[in-house]
Amino acid sequence: MNVSEVTDPVGHLAEWIESARRRGESDAHAATLATVDPAFVRPSVRTVYVQIDGDALVFFVNTRSGKGQQLRWHPHAALCFFWRGLQQQVNVEGVVDLLDDEAADRLWAQRSHESTLVARSSEQHAVFGDLDAFHARLEQEHDTYSFHRAPRPDNWLGYRLSPTRLEFWATGWHRARPRYLFERAPGGGWQSAVQEP
C-alpha cells in the first residue's frame, strides 16, 4: 500500500471490505462500534453492520438502546473492522449525525427480511429482557409481514459517521504489520503517514 497514492481513504476502505467479502469473510461489513457515556467515564462496544455511502459510513441504531442514548449524548464514535482470516483491520474515528428518514428507509431496505423482523421485535432498552415475550413478538411480526416487507420502526434510525481518522493495518506475520494512517486535514483533504507495527 502506497499512502501517497491513496487520495480517498474511505473509498480504499470500501475496496478492503469488498476484497474481504470476495475472499470468504462472511461478515465483511461487520464492525465493532465504540461509544462513551455522557460523563466520558465508561466506554461501550458492540457490533454493527456498516455500509459505505460516499465519504461516510452508515449503520443502524435502536435509539432506545444504550448505544443510541450514548450517540445522542456524545456524537463521536469509533469503528473497528477486523477480518480474522486475512489478519487485516481498519480503525475509523469520526463525528456521527442522523440520516434523514428517506436515507434511513433506503438503508433499512437493504437488511434481510429476518433481520428487520428481529429488529422490530427487540426491546434492547429493557434492563431485564423477557425471551418468551420476545419470541411471541417475533412470531407476531412473522405473521404480520410474511408476504411483504416490514416497515422501519420510528426508534430505528440510520447514523452517518464522517471519518476524521482512518488507520489501516495490513497483513503481516507475527503482528509485524505496518500501519497506514490518514487524518482529515484542517483545510480539507487528507494527511497520511506510515507507522511502525
Side-chain angles (χ1 to χ4, degrees), residues 64 123-130:
R64 298 174 186 163
E123 294 185 357
Q124 294 181 358
H125 60 288
V127 178
F128 298 103
D130 183 337

Side-chain angles (χ1 to χ4, degrees), residues 10-192:
V10 179
H12 198 68
L13 169 59
E15 293 174 7
W16 275 35
I17 292 173
E18 177 58 21
S19 175
R21 186 193 65 78
R22 288 197 312 266
R23 294 170 69 179
E25 294 287 333
S26 59
D27 290 320
H29 284 85
T32 301
L33 169 69
T35 55
V36 293
D37 68 7
F40 306 103
V41 174
R42 293 181 299 180
S44 181
V45 297
R46 77 288 290 152
T47 301
V48 295
Y49 284 90
V50 179
Q51 299 290 331
I52 305 294
D53 182 24
D55 61 352
L57 290 77
V58 294
F59 53 89
F60 262 114
V61 166
N62 183 338
T63 56
R64 298 174 186 163
S65 68
K67 60 183 176 292
Q69 297 292 321
Q70 289 171 348
L71 286 172
R72 184 188 312 171
W73 292 320
H74 183 61
H76 294 263
L79 290 164
C80 177
F81 295 86
F82 177 60
W83 303 290
R84 182 179 180 85
L86 306 180
Q87 287 299 297
Q88 290 180 322
Q89 76 176 33
V90 180
N91 301 323
V92 185
E93 299 173 10
V95 179
V96 177
D97 64 323
L98 279 172
L99 296 174
D100 61 34
D101 286 340
E102 183 179 348
D105 287 340
R106 285 198 304 270
L107 188 61
W108 178 263
Q110 296 176 24
R111 298 182 73 142
S112 70
H113 181 64
E114 187 66 28
S115 174
T116 62
L117 300 184
V118 170
R120 290 177 58 86
S121 305
S122 175
E123 294 185 357
Q124 294 181 358
H125 60 288
V127 178
F128 298 103
D130 183 337
L131 286 178
D132 290 336
F134 164 75
H135 286 294
R137 290 192 300 271
L138 182 58
E139 184 175 348
Q140 178 61 48
E141 292 289 336
H142 272 287
D143 291 343
T144 303
Y145 299 106
S146 56
F147 297 107
H148 60 283
R149 187 130 189 115
R152 176 178 61 86
D154 292 339
N155 60 300
W156 278 89
L157 299 180
Y159 283 81
R160 177 193 298 106
L161 186 146
S162 300
T164 56
R165 187 177 192 275
L166 296 96
E167 187 179 55
F168 293 77
W169 291 62
T171 302
W173 291 101
H174 305 293
R175 299 184 56 83
R177 301 189 293 269
R179 293 177 292 152
Y180 303 98
L181 176 65
F182 296 86
E183 290 188 318
R184 184 69 75 177
W190 294 92
Q191 298 173 330
S192 60

